[in-house]
């Protein structure tokens, strides 16, 4: 045949050709590798179908492809888990900080862990405890001062009422003798207003 003739002519090498076995409908490509042994004038060769030769390589290629896909999926999952383990606590922490900044002194972080987020959560809780205690003390002090101020205003109103409703002539002078205030009895009996005498020395008034 042509294949045998080509092997004899070339003596050494390889080439491909198409071959159809009995019972097969189509010829398939084969590769033959051959060599000549001059001492015996022999030709040694071996042939294999191309598809059978590359089938294992195709299997290896597919296996590598699947392994790479699985590796990418695993890496993506691992990245997602790592990213979630960082961003989720950080997001919760930022929400808690924002709530605390708006005045919610009862906000606390419920993140029990030995990592940096756990320690930061504990620091935040201790800070909020101190801030809450300070806020409670400050609120109590403000309320106490507000009550004191209210009582002072009531006492001032009472004193003003007593001052103005007294039948005696009453007046208030500063240390230099200038009039600061006089009661209504003085003004009504003198037919004057407070503006007429306020700021004048006592000896400059009609009295």
């Amino acid at each position: 045949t042509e294949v045998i003739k080509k092997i004899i002519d070339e003596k050494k090498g390889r080439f491909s050709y198409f071959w159809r076995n009995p019972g097969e409908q189509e010829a398939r490509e084969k590769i033959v590798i051959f060599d000549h042994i001059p001492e015996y004038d022999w030709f040694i060769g071996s042939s294999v179908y191309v598809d059978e030769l590359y089938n294992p390589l195709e299997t290896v290629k597919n296996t590598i492809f699947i392994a790479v896909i699985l590796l990418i999926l695993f890496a993506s999952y691992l990245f997602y888990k790592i990213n979630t383990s960082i961003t989720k606590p950080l997001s919760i922490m930022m929400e808690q900080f924002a709530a605390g900044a708006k005045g919610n002194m009862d906000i606390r972080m419920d993140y029990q862990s030995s990592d940096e987020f756990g320690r930061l959560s504990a620091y935040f809780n201790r800070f909020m405890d101190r801030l809450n205690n300070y806020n409670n003390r400050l609120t109590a002090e403000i309320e106490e001062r507000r009550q004191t101020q209210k009582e002072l205003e009531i006492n001032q109103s009472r004193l003003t009422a007593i001052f103005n409703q007294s039948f005696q002539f009453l007046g208030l002078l500063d240390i230099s003798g200038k009039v600061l205030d006089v009661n209504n009895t003085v003004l009504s009996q003198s037919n004057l207003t407070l503006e007429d005498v306020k700021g004048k020395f006592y000896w400059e008034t009609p009295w």
Side-chain angles (χ1 to χ4, degrees):
T1 65
E2 294 183 1
V3 173
I4 301 299
K5 183 176 183 303
K6 189 172 183 179
I7 290 175
I8 295 173
D9 292 340
E10 295 184 4
K11 297 188 182 302
K12 182 179 181 180
R14 68 177 180 178
F15 61 87
S16 63
Y17 62 97
F18 285 89
W19 181 265
R20 184 173 63 85
N21 289 322
E24 294 182 350
Q25 296 182 353
E26 296 182 358
R28 291 188 294 162
E29 185 179 9
K30 297 186 75 172
I31 295 177
V32 61
I33 300 173
F34 56 93
D35 197 0
H36 178 235
I37 304 176
E39 291 82 358
Y40 301 99
D41 197 22
W42 286 0
F43 288 91
I44 299 176
S46 177
S47 65
V48 63
Y49 285 104
V50 172
D51 54 0
E52 294 177 356
L53 177 65
Y54 288 107
N55 272 342
L57 296 178
E58 188 69 21
T59 302
V60 172
K61 184 181 73 172
N62 293 336
T63 303
I64 293 175
F65 177 75
I66 293 173
V68 170
I69 294 298
L70 292 176
L71 183 61
I72 292 174
L73 292 175
F74 177 74
S76 300
Y77 173 77
L78 188 62
F79 175 77
Y80 170 76
K81 294 296 290 183
I82 294 174
N83 188 52
T84 302
S85 67
I86 295 175
T87 57
K88 185 177 180 180
L90 188 60
S91 177
I92 295 174
M93 199 167 292
M94 293 303 297
E95 291 176 0
Q96 305 292 63
F97 274 120
K102 291 179 180 179
N104 187 357
M105 299 300 172
D106 296 325
I107 199 72
R108 296 295 183 274
M109 291 185 182
D110 187 18
Y111 189 81
Q112 305 297 329
S113 176
S114 59
D115 58 12
E116 289 79 3
F117 288 110
R119 291 195 294 271
L120 186 58
S121 177
Y123 295 151
F124 175 82
N125 290 340
R126 287 199 293 269
F127 172 76
M128 291 304 295
D129 287 339
R130 294 178 181 177
L131 191 61
N132 192 36
N133 292 335
Y134 174 77
N135 181 68
N136 291 336
R137 291 197 302 269
L138 185 61
T139 301
E141 184 177 348
I142 291 174
E143 182 59 29
E144 182 180 353
R145 292 190 178 186
R146 184 182 292 113
Q147 187 64 31
T148 302
Q149 179 67 27
K150 184 177 180 180
E151 292 175 358
L152 288 174
E153 291 175 355
I154 293 174
N155 290 335
Q156 179 67 31
S157 298
R158 290 172 178 172
L159 290 174
T160 301
I162 294 172
F163 178 77
N164 283 322
Q165 293 175 9
S166 174
F167 291 105
Q168 296 179 339
F169 282 22
L170 297 177
L172 297 177
L173 308 177
D174 67 11
I175 195 170
S176 66
K178 289 184 178 181
V179 176
L180 298 176
D181 196 6
V182 291
N183 67 354
N184 290 338
T185 302
V186 175
L187 296 175
S188 61
Q189 292 293 329
S190 305
N191 198 24
L192 295 171
T193 64
L194 181 60
E195 286 71 21
D196 294 332
V197 295
K198 188 175 182 179
K200 292 183 178 181
F201 290 104
Y202 175 70
W203 50 85
E204 296 176 343
T205 66
W207 315 296

